[in-house]
Amino acid sequence: MSLLALYDLPAPAKLNLFLHVVGRREDGYHLLQSVFTLIDWADTLHLERRTDGRLLRHDLGPALPEDDLCLRAARRLQAASGCRVGADIHIDKQVPWGAGLGGGSSDAATVLLGLNRLWGLHWTREQLLPLALELGADVPFFIGGRTAWVEGIGERLTPIELPVPPSRQHYAVLKPAAALPTAKIFSSPLLTRDTNAATVVGFLADAKASAEQPTAERTGYPGRNDLQAAAEALCPEVAAVGQWLEARFGNSRMTGSGSAVFARAGTGDQPVATMPEGGLPEGWVGRMCRGLDQHPLVGWPG
């Protein structure tokens, strides 16, 4: 019997624990190194089967662009699989966009994972990954579903185990009112494009040393975000958010191409500090998050 609907499918956000630009390809794309990890700030999607083959999106929260990554993901899967049924895609958007949190990419990945099951395709993860990469460099990470060392333009993923499991890590994540245009950041003269390549072994060793420090002395993860100087020049609010987090948690770092900034906020059952309710400047959006050891739909392919 065919499924008629799937409800409450999560699309979690991600953080870049560091982000280095180590070079540039001949076609102009920048070569990156990063570690991506999932957090529990998430959008929620509901998928309903249509028999007429149409693909429609319904916004349950803020209005999204008319032709977003969710619809593009659905069209790609429908065309590649030859599936003749369609879907109503309902999305409750909670993760802010223009933030470097990967919300749109995560939504697209959840659409691929959900429609693969709703339509009874039974595609494996290896079959879904090429479609994911066509949609954007971050989408394969959400299909992979685990903390990963990321290289290339974002398409080369190596799962890694952090010294502190993600589910034991608290983060304060804060986005100012402004969103940032990624293209402007990558074209900025302030962008560092020749950071020395890091290694998985070196990053994990430094992360382990940091994790073994007393909680009050812990700082951010090893490395930096090479996009942050350019982002702060374009949007001074990014620097203001970083300073706000530094004052409360002792560390801060922009994620992705911004404008969201995060701070490590302790491990265990409780964070070392919290965000004051109603105490954020106007337009700022933030929350205390925990890491996720894996994507909630990690076992869905196949």
Side-chain angles (χ1 to χ4, degrees):
M1 182 177 177
S2 299
L3 288 172
L4 297 180
L6 293 168
Y7 296 111
D8 298 322
L9 303 184
K14 59 85 178 166
L15 296 176
N16 295 77
L17 301 187
F18 77 95
L19 177 57
H20 294 170
V21 182
V22 298
R24 199 170 188 177
R25 301 195 319 193
E26 291 183 1
D27 60 7
Y29 281 95
H30 290 80
L31 297 171
L32 310 174
Q33 284 188 321
S34 187
V35 168
F36 288 6
T37 196
L38 296 162
I39 58 174
D40 63 359
W41 199 346
D43 297 333
T44 303
L45 287 85
H46 316 293
L47 306 177
E48 297 174 346
R49 184 184 181 99
R50 294 182 65 100
T51 58
D52 60 5
R54 298 181 68 195
L55 298 167
L56 301 176
R57 195 197 69 236
H58 310 276
D59 299 331
L60 304 180
L64 299 176
E66 183 176 345
D67 188 32
D68 74 327
L69 274 179
C70 288
L71 286 174
R72 279 182 263 167
R75 285 200 302 269
R76 293 286 179 90
L77 184 60
Q78 189 183 53
S81 65
C83 182
R84 296 191 177 186
V85 297
D88 285 299
I89 301 168
H90 305 262
I91 178 167
D92 180 5
K93 189 71 181 167
Q94 296 294 321
V95 177
W97 52 87
L101 295 168
S105 296
S106 185
D107 295 339
T110 291
V111 166
L112 290 176
L113 293 166
L115 292 182
N116 183 42
R117 176 164 289 200
L118 182 68
W119 291 342
L121 302 179
H122 307 295
W123 278 28
T124 65
R125 182 172 285 103
E126 289 67 30
Q127 288 175 288
L128 292 172
L129 283 172
L131 291 185
L133 184 57
E134 291 174 10
L135 294 163
D138 287 352
V139 184
F141 163 71
F142 294 102
I143 297 292
R146 290 183 172 85
T147 300
W149 179 269
V150 181
E151 294 184 290
I153 61 171
E155 84 284 8
R156 291 162 50 193
L157 303 169
T158 303
I160 62 171
E161 298 288 337
L162 295 174
V164 176
S167 58
R168 298 282 294 168
Q169 180 68 59
H170 297 273
Y171 299 100
V173 186
L174 190 55
K175 179 192 176 295
L180 282 173
T182 301
K184 284 190 176 182
I185 292 174
F186 276 104
S187 63
S188 170
L190 296 176
L191 177 62
T192 299
R193 296 179 171 86
D194 58 356
T195 296
N196 291 331
T199 65
V200 176
V201 171
F203 172 83
L204 292 178
D206 290 345
K208 183 174 186 294
S210 174
E212 290 173 347
Q213 292 178 330
T215 299
E217 298 176 15
R218 290 179 191 167
T219 57
Y221 285 99
R224 61 181 182 272
N225 186 332
D226 281 339
L227 310 185
Q228 190 159 347
E232 290 177 350
L234 286 168
C235 178
E237 274 192 289
V238 172
V241 166
Q243 293 164 4
W244 192 97
L245 290 171
E246 288 273 358
R248 287 157 179 79
F249 301 97
N251 68 97
S252 68
R253 181 169 296 166
M254 190 178 78
T255 179
S257 57
S259 57
V261 183
F262 70 95
R264 295 178 73 182
T267 59
D269 295 331
Q270 298 293 330
V272 294
T274 59
M275 291 191 192
E277 291 187 15
L280 297 177
E282 184 178 357
W284 289 19
V285 178
R287 60 176 286 178
M288 300 301 300
C289 299
R290 293 194 76 151
L292 298 175
D293 292 331
Q294 62 184 29
H295 195 292
L297 309 181
V298 71
W300 277 37

